[in-house]
Amino acid sequence: MIVLVAEPHAGRASRASLEALAAAQTMRAPITVVLLGDGADAAARDLAAADGVVDVVVLDHERLHAYAADAWIAALAAFLCDTAPSHVVFAHTYQTRDYVPRLAARLDRALVTDCTGVSPIDGGAAATFTRPMFQGKTQATVALDGPAPHLVTIQIGAFRADAVRMASTPAPVRVIAAAVDAADIHQQVEPPFREAKQAVDLTRADRIVAAGRGVGSQDGLTTAAELASALGAELAASRPVCDAGWLPMDRQIGSSGQTVAPRLYVALGVSGAIQHIVGMKGSQTIVAINKDADAPIFEVADYGIVGDLFEIVPAIVAALK
Amino acid sequence: MRIAVCLKQVVTREWHVRVNASGTWVRDDEASWGMNEPDGCALEAALRLKDAHGSEVVAISAGPARVTQVLREALGRGADRAVHVTGDDLASGDAFTVAAALADAVRGVAPDLVLTGLQSDDQGFAQVGGVLAERTGMAHATIIVGIEVGDGRVRVKRELEGGWFQWVTLPLPAVLTIQSGIHQLRYATLKGIMAAKKKPIDVVSAPARPEGGPGVRVLSVAVPTRAKQIRLIDGAPAEAARELVRALREDARVLGPGDGAGVSAHTVEPGA
Ligand SMILES: Cc1cc2nc3c(=O)[nH]c(=O)nc-3n(C[C@H](O)[C@H](O)[C@H](O)COP(=O)(O)OP(=O)(O)OC[C@H]3O[C@@H](n4cnc5c(N)ncnc54)[C@H](O)[C@@H]3O)c2cc1C
Ligand SMILES: Nc1ncnc2c1ncn2[C@@H]1O[C@H](COP(=O)(O)O)[C@@H](O)[C@H]1O
């Protein structure tokens, strides 16, 4: 049996949870879905109808509404000790990053993170996993050792939410009182907020030129800006460019910034880390210019030029004239 | 207050990753090495707390002899002392192995605050901070972009997805995993580098790994094959640029003839 730990989002199962469910379905074992947090009841109904899901459990406790790592760890550690699954599958979200490593350490069970592929072996009793290493420049195949359950987190976007197969009859949904002791929760959490000055809405842009660390400096950014103005495009950036203060944070594309899908996305000196890719891979046409022919950005691009952006970009600006 | 900072030495981003002949690891005998990027941010956060509160900063790194490079760099930037945890399988070990090694060292230092990076640039587990917190019995919070130290507690700003944040308060001692961009980094000054030569680096050995315990074993390493069809355009810059503009206009149809400063003589907007 596999346990899938899903995250509710706005009263539905989050897209990332559906992707993780699609990954769990490839393991061909019965699935128990577990939900915690606000909106868990409603999200439970989304997941109960999926093929392979035999049981949906909502863990309930007054301290399981607003997320706090220690509460999630206590509730899931107790639940997993009772259910004894072979694998526990999570989406590799920020919440997962926050509590699952500590959960694995508490259970003393192996954890593999950010998986892009799952290959069941021995009729589904075990599996090997693929995951990126060295910033996505290599991919490793790994096996997990030690007693079950093995914990697995699935990279965002690696599986398709619309690949989730549906069943004819939905599984039952049960609400279980969770074992959480308020004294074990050390995080005192305040409500989530956004920075007030979120001035630019890049989600409406028809064309975007994104500058990566390859632009080298604030000065180097002017080359990207010239292309943006020649194309009538918005200027955006990867995280290091915003971290360095070359462009304001509200122009960052990626998991902690904006998610965009313009008709044209031109990535200049962007390596293509997964946290950047998730924010732009829905773009209609992607152009990548990078001096490293092996940069992962070329995996998602439609057109690519391998070379120095400071030679190529001015030539493109000239060719547009 | 005493702050421990965990620093991993990783191959530099500029190093061209090559897989070894047996396809089991990378050829890192030929690599260039540096401090894991978010760990540099963790060190900077520790040094800012030192500037403000007069804390002692202890840099810790686990790995082979070469990792003293990042410890020297940390001492040069302003850390007070360092601990090098040695062990054969630490360089390519899984998160539990590394966290066990760091936990012993952290217990020895007995800090109020432990700062790690949120993720290593090489293995990218995003696990060591959380596992270390459990092994040392400290409170924890991750993906931190702001720190306010109070009396026996720390209030931290966590980054959430999509531009959202959240403040969380923890009792000390605590482990925080630091996100890039928390501060602009300082560099080692010549004076700092000279002073660093006199600062101590303690060497301790990592605990033996228990047999049959939980672990993640790398079976093989490969350069990924490209999933999507990409059109690579080659040629001299001017030639490649002209071909790209043509393809965007005529094949992808994402540019019109009016895009750019003028209209290219031979282009007709498709479907116009
Ligand atoms: C939890 C988390 C959240 C994150 N959120 C985000 C996010 O929202 N957005 C984001 O972008 N990142 C995010 N990151 C960071 C991400 O992992 C990468 O570190 C980052 O995207 C790398 O940015 P880059 O591609 O600009 O820089 P690098 O990875 O340093 O790549 C620079 C590229 O430029 C190329 N280059 C250099 N010089 C030239 C030249 N002259 N001409 C052409 N090419 C050149 C190089 O070959 C290289 O490929 C996040 C990371 C984590 C762990
Ligand atoms: N060998 C190591 N020595 C010191 N710190 C480490 C080591 N490995 C990981 N860390 C710390 O743990 C963080 C997360 O690493 P990881 O879990 O590998 O992604 C890093 O940013 C470092 O701060």
Side-chain angles (χ1 to χ4, degrees), chain A residues 94 97 135 211-215 237-241 252-257 268-276 289-292 295 307-310, chain B residues 13 37 118-119 143 159 179:
Chain A
Y94 287 27
R97 287 168 172 271
Q135 303 274 307
R213 197 189 333 239
V215 301
S238 67
R239 181 169 194 117
V241 171
Q252 179 175 310
I253 303 294
S255 58
S256 37
L268 306 175
V270 174
S271 63
I274 179 64
Q275 294 86 8
H276 187 83
I289 296 167
N290 196 302
K291 67 176 184 191
D292 176 6
D308 183 351
L309 72 93
F310 294 106
Chain B
R13 282 168 186 262
E37 186 172 22
L118 83 167
Q119 179 169 325
I143 324 190
E159 183 179 287
Q179 169 66 297

Short mmCIF file of all heavy atoms in Angstrom, two decimals, chain A residues 94 97 135 211-215 237-241 252-257 268-276 289-292 295 307-310, chain B residues 13 37 118-119 143 159 179, ligand 1:
data_model
loop_
_atom_site.label_atom_id
_atom_site.label_comp_id
_atom_site.label_asym_id
_atom_site.label_seq_id
_atom_site.Cartn_x
_atom_site.Cartn_y
_atom_site.Cartn_z
N TYR A 94 7.01 23.78 -1.09
CA TYR A 94 7.74 24.45 -0.01
C TYR A 94 7.33 23.86 1.34
O TYR A 94 8.12 23.76 2.26
CB TYR A 94 7.49 25.96 -0.02
CG TYR A 94 8.17 26.71 -1.14
CD1 TYR A 94 8.50 26.09 -2.33
CD2 TYR A 94 8.51 28.05 -1.00
CE1 TYR A 94 9.12 26.78 -3.36
CE2 TYR A 94 9.14 28.75 -2.01
CZ TYR A 94 9.43 28.12 -3.19
OH TYR A 94 10.05 28.81 -4.21
N ARG A 97 9.15 20.62 1.72
CA ARG A 97 10.55 20.91 2.07
C ARG A 97 10.67 21.24 3.55
O ARG A 97 11.68 20.97 4.18
CB ARG A 97 11.04 22.15 1.31
CG ARG A 97 11.28 21.97 -0.16
CD ARG A 97 11.47 23.35 -0.78
NE ARG A 97 11.89 23.28 -2.16
CZ ARG A 97 13.15 23.21 -2.56
NH1 ARG A 97 14.14 23.25 -1.69
NH2 ARG A 97 13.45 23.14 -3.83
N GLN A 135 22.26 20.71 -10.26
CA GLN A 135 21.42 21.75 -10.87
C GLN A 135 20.76 21.28 -12.16
O GLN A 135 20.62 22.07 -13.09
CB GLN A 135 22.28 22.99 -11.17
CG GLN A 135 22.99 23.57 -9.97
CD GLN A 135 22.10 24.54 -9.23
OE1 GLN A 135 21.56 25.47 -9.81
NE2 GLN A 135 21.92 24.32 -7.96
N ALA A 211 16.24 37.92 -18.09
CA ALA A 211 17.68 37.95 -17.93
C ALA A 211 18.09 37.04 -16.78
O ALA A 211 17.50 37.09 -15.71
CB ALA A 211 18.13 39.38 -17.64
N GLY A 212 19.11 36.21 -17.01
CA GLY A 212 19.65 35.36 -15.96
C GLY A 212 21.00 35.89 -15.51
O GLY A 212 21.46 36.95 -15.97
N ARG A 213 21.64 35.15 -14.62
CA ARG A 213 22.92 35.57 -14.08
C ARG A 213 23.96 35.74 -15.19
O ARG A 213 24.94 36.46 -15.02
CB ARG A 213 23.41 34.56 -13.05
CG ARG A 213 24.50 35.14 -12.20
CD ARG A 213 25.21 34.15 -11.29
NE ARG A 213 24.47 33.00 -10.90
CZ ARG A 213 24.21 32.67 -9.63
NH1 ARG A 213 24.63 33.45 -8.66
NH2 ARG A 213 23.56 31.57 -9.36
N GLY A 214 23.73 35.09 -16.33
CA GLY A 214 24.65 35.22 -17.46
C GLY A 214 24.79 36.65 -17.96
O GLY A 214 25.75 36.95 -18.67
N VAL A 215 23.90 37.56 -17.62
CA VAL A 215 24.07 38.96 -18.02
C VAL A 215 25.21 39.62 -17.23
O VAL A 215 25.69 40.69 -17.60
CB VAL A 215 22.78 39.83 -17.91
CG1 VAL A 215 21.66 39.25 -18.77
CG2 VAL A 215 22.35 40.03 -16.48
N ALA A 237 13.34 38.42 -14.90
CA ALA A 237 14.64 37.88 -14.51
C ALA A 237 14.52 36.60 -13.71
O ALA A 237 13.46 36.26 -13.19
CB ALA A 237 15.41 38.92 -13.70
N SER A 238 15.66 35.92 -13.59
CA SER A 238 15.77 34.78 -12.69
C SER A 238 16.11 35.31 -11.30
O SER A 238 16.42 36.49 -11.12
CB SER A 238 16.86 33.82 -13.17
OG SER A 238 18.11 34.46 -13.05
N ARG A 239 16.08 34.43 -10.34
CA ARG A 239 16.26 34.84 -8.95
C ARG A 239 17.59 35.56 -8.67
O ARG A 239 17.58 36.60 -7.99
CB ARG A 239 16.15 33.60 -8.04
CG ARG A 239 16.30 33.95 -6.60
CD ARG A 239 15.93 32.81 -5.66
NE ARG A 239 15.80 33.40 -4.35
CZ ARG A 239 14.69 33.42 -3.64
NH1 ARG A 239 13.61 32.86 -4.11
NH2 ARG A 239 14.66 34.01 -2.48
N PRO A 240 18.74 35.03 -9.13
CA PRO A 240 20.00 35.71 -8.77
C PRO A 240 20.04 37.17 -9.21
O PRO A 240 20.63 38.01 -8.54
CB PRO A 240 21.08 34.90 -9.49
CG PRO A 240 20.46 33.56 -9.70
CD PRO A 240 19.00 33.80 -9.90
N VAL A 241 19.40 37.49 -10.33
CA VAL A 241 19.38 38.87 -10.84
C VAL A 241 18.60 39.76 -9.87
O VAL A 241 19.00 40.90 -9.59
CB VAL A 241 18.78 38.89 -12.26
CG1 VAL A 241 18.53 40.31 -12.74
CG2 VAL A 241 19.70 38.14 -13.24
N GLN A 252 10.68 38.80 -10.81
CA GLN A 252 11.26 37.45 -10.77
C GLN A 252 10.26 36.43 -11.29
O GLN A 252 9.11 36.41 -10.91
CB GLN A 252 11.62 37.12 -9.32
CG GLN A 252 12.22 35.73 -9.14
CD GLN A 252 12.68 35.52 -7.71
OE1 GLN A 252 13.39 36.33 -7.15
NE2 GLN A 252 12.27 34.42 -7.12
N ILE A 253 10.77 35.54 -12.16
CA ILE A 253 9.96 34.44 -12.69
C ILE A 253 10.36 33.16 -11.97
O ILE A 253 11.54 32.89 -11.78
CB ILE A 253 10.22 34.26 -14.21
CG1 ILE A 253 9.95 35.55 -14.98
CG2 ILE A 253 9.41 33.09 -14.76
CD1 ILE A 253 8.52 36.00 -14.99
N GLY A 254 9.37 32.36 -11.57
CA GLY A 254 9.70 31.07 -10.97
C GLY A 254 8.84 30.75 -9.78
O GLY A 254 7.87 31.45 -9.50
N SER A 255 9.24 29.69 -9.07
CA SER A 255 8.37 29.17 -8.01
C SER A 255 8.13 30.19 -6.91
O SER A 255 7.05 30.23 -6.34
CB SER A 255 8.93 27.88 -7.44
OG SER A 255 10.22 28.06 -6.94
N SER A 256 9.13 31.01 -6.60
CA SER A 256 8.87 32.02 -5.57
C SER A 256 8.51 33.37 -6.17
O SER A 256 8.25 34.32 -5.45
CB SER A 256 10.05 32.14 -4.61
OG SER A 256 11.28 32.00 -5.26
N GLY A 257 8.47 33.46 -7.48
CA GLY A 257 8.08 34.70 -8.15
C GLY A 257 6.79 34.49 -8.94
O GLY A 257 5.87 33.85 -8.45
N LEU A 268 17.77 34.76 -21.55
CA LEU A 268 19.16 35.14 -21.85
C LEU A 268 20.05 34.81 -20.66
O LEU A 268 19.87 35.38 -19.59
CB LEU A 268 19.24 36.64 -22.12
CG LEU A 268 18.31 37.21 -23.19
CD1 LEU A 268 18.44 38.74 -23.24
CD2 LEU A 268 18.63 36.59 -24.55
N GLY A 269 20.97 33.88 -20.83
CA GLY A 269 21.88 33.55 -19.73
C GLY A 269 21.16 33.01 -18.52
O GLY A 269 21.54 33.28 -17.38
N VAL A 270 20.12 32.23 -18.77
CA VAL A 270 19.38 31.54 -17.71
C VAL A 270 19.71 30.05 -17.84
O VAL A 270 19.57 29.49 -18.93
CB VAL A 270 17.85 31.74 -17.88
CG1 VAL A 270 17.07 30.91 -16.86
CG2 VAL A 270 17.48 33.21 -17.77
N SER A 271 20.13 29.40 -16.75
CA SER A 271 20.56 28.00 -16.87
C SER A 271 19.38 27.05 -17.00
O SER A 271 19.50 25.99 -17.60
CB SER A 271 21.43 27.59 -15.69
OG SER A 271 20.69 27.67 -14.47
N GLY A 272 18.22 27.41 -16.41
CA GLY A 272 17.06 26.54 -16.52
C GLY A 272 16.87 25.64 -15.32
O GLY A 272 16.50 24.47 -15.45
N ALA A 273 17.13 26.17 -14.11
CA ALA A 273 16.84 25.42 -12.88
C ALA A 273 15.34 25.18 -12.81
O ALA A 273 14.55 26.01 -13.28
CB ALA A 273 17.31 26.21 -11.66
N ILE A 274 14.96 24.05 -12.19
CA ILE A 274 13.54 23.69 -12.13
C ILE A 274 12.69 24.80 -11.51
O ILE A 274 11.57 25.05 -11.94
CB ILE A 274 13.34 22.33 -11.40
CG1 ILE A 274 11.86 21.96 -11.32
CG2 ILE A 274 13.95 22.31 -10.01
CD1 ILE A 274 11.21 21.74 -12.65
N GLN A 275 13.26 25.52 -10.51
CA GLN A 275 12.46 26.57 -9.85
C GLN A 275 12.21 27.74 -10.80
O GLN A 275 11.29 28.52 -10.58
CB GLN A 275 13.15 27.08 -8.59
CG GLN A 275 13.26 26.06 -7.48
CD GLN A 275 14.48 25.18 -7.61
OE1 GLN A 275 15.34 25.43 -8.45
NE2 GLN A 275 14.57 24.16 -6.79
N HIS A 276 13.03 27.90 -11.82
CA HIS A 276 12.75 28.91 -12.85
C HIS A 276 11.77 28.34 -13.88
O HIS A 276 10.80 29.00 -14.26
CB HIS A 276 14.05 29.37 -13.52
CG HIS A 276 13.84 30.52 -14.45
ND1 HIS A 276 13.78 31.82 -14.02
CD2 HIS A 276 13.62 30.56 -15.79
CE1 HIS A 276 13.55 32.62 -15.05
NE2 HIS A 276 13.45 31.88 -16.14
N ILE A 289 19.10 31.54 -25.12
CA ILE A 289 20.44 31.89 -25.57
C ILE A 289 21.38 31.69 -24.39
O ILE A 289 21.21 32.31 -23.33
CB ILE A 289 20.48 33.34 -26.10
CG1 ILE A 289 19.58 33.41 -27.34
CG2 ILE A 289 21.92 33.75 -26.43
CD1 ILE A 289 19.27 34.79 -27.79
N ASN A 290 22.33 30.75 -24.56
CA ASN A 290 23.20 30.38 -23.44
C ASN A 290 24.51 29.88 -24.01
O ASN A 290 24.51 29.17 -25.02
CB ASN A 290 22.52 29.29 -22.60
CG ASN A 290 23.17 29.13 -21.25
OD1 ASN A 290 24.38 28.86 -21.16
ND2 ASN A 290 22.39 29.31 -20.20
N LYS A 291 25.61 30.22 -23.35
CA LYS A 291 26.91 29.79 -23.90
C LYS A 291 27.22 28.33 -23.59
O LYS A 291 28.14 27.77 -24.16
CB LYS A 291 28.02 30.71 -23.40
CG LYS A 291 28.29 30.62 -21.91
CD LYS A 291 29.47 31.51 -21.53
CE LYS A 291 29.78 31.32 -20.06
NZ LYS A 291 30.72 32.30 -19.54
N ASP A 292 26.41 27.71 -22.69
CA ASP A 292 26.64 26.31 -22.34
C ASP A 292 25.63 25.43 -23.07
O ASP A 292 24.44 25.46 -22.78
CB ASP A 292 26.50 26.16 -20.82
CG ASP A 292 26.62 24.71 -20.35
OD1 ASP A 292 26.93 23.84 -21.18
OD2 ASP A 292 26.39 24.48 -19.15
N ALA A 295 23.19 23.41 -20.99
CA ALA A 295 22.32 24.07 -20.00
C ALA A 295 20.91 23.47 -20.09
O ALA A 295 20.36 23.33 -21.18
CB ALA A 295 22.29 25.57 -20.24
N GLY A 307 25.83 30.34 -27.47
CA GLY A 307 26.86 31.36 -27.68
C GLY A 307 26.77 32.46 -26.65
O GLY A 307 25.95 32.40 -25.73
N ASP A 308 27.64 33.46 -26.84
CA ASP A 308 27.73 34.58 -25.91
C ASP A 308 26.57 35.55 -26.17
O ASP A 308 26.45 36.10 -27.27
CB ASP A 308 29.08 35.28 -26.12
CG ASP A 308 29.30 36.42 -25.14
OD1 ASP A 308 28.36 36.80 -24.41
OD2 ASP A 308 30.43 36.93 -25.11
N LEU A 309 25.75 35.77 -25.16
CA LEU A 309 24.58 36.64 -25.35
C LEU A 309 24.97 38.05 -25.75
O LEU A 309 24.21 38.74 -26.43
CB LEU A 309 23.69 36.62 -24.09
CG LEU A 309 24.15 37.32 -22.82
CD1 LEU A 309 23.61 38.76 -22.77
CD2 LEU A 309 23.65 36.57 -21.60
N PHE A 310 26.18 38.49 -25.34
CA PHE A 310 26.60 39.86 -25.67
C PHE A 310 26.96 40.01 -27.15
O PHE A 310 27.03 41.11 -27.67
CB PHE A 310 27.76 40.29 -24.77
CG PHE A 310 27.35 40.40 -23.34
CD1 PHE A 310 27.74 39.45 -22.41
CD2 PHE A 310 26.51 41.43 -22.92
CE1 PHE A 310 27.33 39.53 -21.09
CE2 PHE A 310 26.08 41.52 -21.61
CZ PHE A 310 26.50 40.57 -20.69
N ARG B 13 29.54 26.50 -10.29
CA ARG B 13 28.57 26.49 -11.38
C ARG B 13 29.25 26.55 -12.74
O ARG B 13 28.70 26.10 -13.73
CB ARG B 13 27.64 27.70 -11.26
CG ARG B 13 26.58 27.50 -10.22
CD ARG B 13 25.87 28.80 -9.93
NE ARG B 13 24.94 28.60 -8.83
CZ ARG B 13 23.64 28.37 -9.00
NH1 ARG B 13 23.09 28.38 -10.20
NH2 ARG B 13 22.87 28.18 -7.95
N GLU B 37 26.09 28.11 -2.78
CA GLU B 37 25.61 29.50 -2.83
C GLU B 37 24.72 29.92 -1.65
O GLU B 37 25.01 30.92 -0.99
CB GLU B 37 24.91 29.74 -4.16
CG GLU B 37 24.52 31.18 -4.31
CD GLU B 37 24.00 31.49 -5.69
OE1 GLU B 37 23.54 30.58 -6.40
OE2 GLU B 37 24.04 32.68 -6.05
N LEU B 118 19.42 26.41 2.21
CA LEU B 118 18.17 25.65 2.05
C LEU B 118 18.37 24.42 1.18
O LEU B 118 17.59 23.48 1.24
CB LEU B 118 17.04 26.52 1.50
CG LEU B 118 16.95 26.75 -0.01
CD1 LEU B 118 15.63 27.36 -0.36
CD2 LEU B 118 18.10 27.57 -0.50
N GLN B 119 19.45 24.39 0.39
CA GLN B 119 19.62 23.29 -0.56
C GLN B 119 21.04 23.33 -1.08
O GLN B 119 21.60 24.40 -1.27
CB GLN B 119 18.63 23.48 -1.70
CG GLN B 119 18.67 22.45 -2.78
CD GLN B 119 17.49 22.57 -3.72
OE1 GLN B 119 16.38 22.90 -3.32
NE2 GLN B 119 17.72 22.31 -4.97
N ILE B 143 13.58 27.95 4.49
CA ILE B 143 13.45 28.93 3.40
C ILE B 143 13.30 30.34 4.00
O ILE B 143 12.34 31.07 3.74
CB ILE B 143 12.31 28.59 2.42
CG1 ILE B 143 12.20 27.07 2.22
CG2 ILE B 143 12.50 29.28 1.09
CD1 ILE B 143 11.28 26.63 1.10
N GLU B 159 9.82 32.22 3.29
CA GLU B 159 9.31 32.42 1.94
C GLU B 159 8.34 31.30 1.62
O GLU B 159 8.62 30.14 1.87
CB GLU B 159 10.48 32.40 0.96
CG GLU B 159 10.09 32.66 -0.47
CD GLU B 159 11.32 32.65 -1.38
OE1 GLU B 159 12.11 33.60 -1.33
OE2 GLU B 159 11.48 31.66 -2.10
N GLN B 179 17.48 31.06 2.60
CA GLN B 179 17.24 31.23 1.16
C GLN B 179 18.18 32.30 0.63
O GLN B 179 18.56 33.23 1.36
CB GLN B 179 15.76 31.63 0.96
CG GLN B 179 15.38 32.09 -0.42
CD GLN B 179 15.47 31.02 -1.49
OE1 GLN B 179 16.56 30.51 -1.77
NE2 GLN B 179 14.36 30.71 -2.13
C1 LIG C 1 13.17 26.99 -2.94
C2 LIG C 1 13.82 27.66 -4.11
C3 LIG C 1 13.11 28.61 -4.80
C4 LIG C 1 13.67 29.25 -5.91
N1 LIG C 1 12.91 30.14 -6.61
C5 LIG C 1 13.39 30.63 -7.77
C6 LIG C 1 12.57 31.47 -8.62
O1 LIG C 1 11.42 31.78 -8.29
N2 LIG C 1 13.10 31.91 -9.78
C7 LIG C 1 14.37 31.57 -10.20
O2 LIG C 1 14.78 32.00 -11.30
N3 LIG C 1 15.16 30.80 -9.42
C8 LIG C 1 14.70 30.32 -8.23
N4 LIG C 1 15.52 29.55 -7.45
C9 LIG C 1 16.95 29.43 -7.80
C10 LIG C 1 17.24 28.40 -8.86
O3 LIG C 1 17.44 27.14 -8.25
C11 LIG C 1 18.53 28.76 -9.62
O4 LIG C 1 19.59 28.92 -8.71
C12 LIG C 1 18.38 30.04 -10.45
O5 LIG C 1 17.21 30.00 -11.24
C13 LIG C 1 19.59 30.20 -11.34
O6 LIG C 1 19.50 31.42 -12.04
P1 LIG C 1 20.29 31.67 -13.41
O7 LIG C 1 19.88 30.63 -14.38
O8 LIG C 1 20.09 33.07 -13.77
O9 LIG C 1 21.82 31.51 -12.95
P2 LIG C 1 22.86 30.34 -13.20
O10 LIG C 1 22.30 29.03 -12.83
O11 LIG C 1 24.12 30.79 -12.58
O12 LIG C 1 23.02 30.32 -14.79
C14 LIG C 1 23.64 31.32 -15.53
C15 LIG C 1 23.67 30.83 -16.97
O13 LIG C 1 24.17 31.85 -17.80
C16 LIG C 1 25.01 31.28 -18.78
N5 LIG C 1 25.92 32.33 -19.23
C17 LIG C 1 26.90 32.92 -18.52
N6 LIG C 1 27.49 33.89 -19.25
C18 LIG C 1 26.86 33.89 -20.45
C19 LIG C 1 27.02 34.67 -21.64
N7 LIG C 1 27.92 35.65 -21.74
N8 LIG C 1 26.21 34.39 -22.69
C20 LIG C 1 25.27 33.41 -22.60
N9 LIG C 1 25.09 32.66 -21.51
C21 LIG C 1 25.87 32.90 -20.45
C22 LIG C 1 25.67 30.10 -18.10
O14 LIG C 1 26.08 29.13 -19.05
C23 LIG C 1 24.55 29.61 -17.18
O15 LIG C 1 23.79 28.59 -17.80
C24 LIG C 1 14.98 28.92 -6.33
C25 LIG C 1 15.69 27.96 -5.62
C26 LIG C 1 15.13 27.32 -4.53
C27 LIG C 1 15.92 26.26 -3.84
#
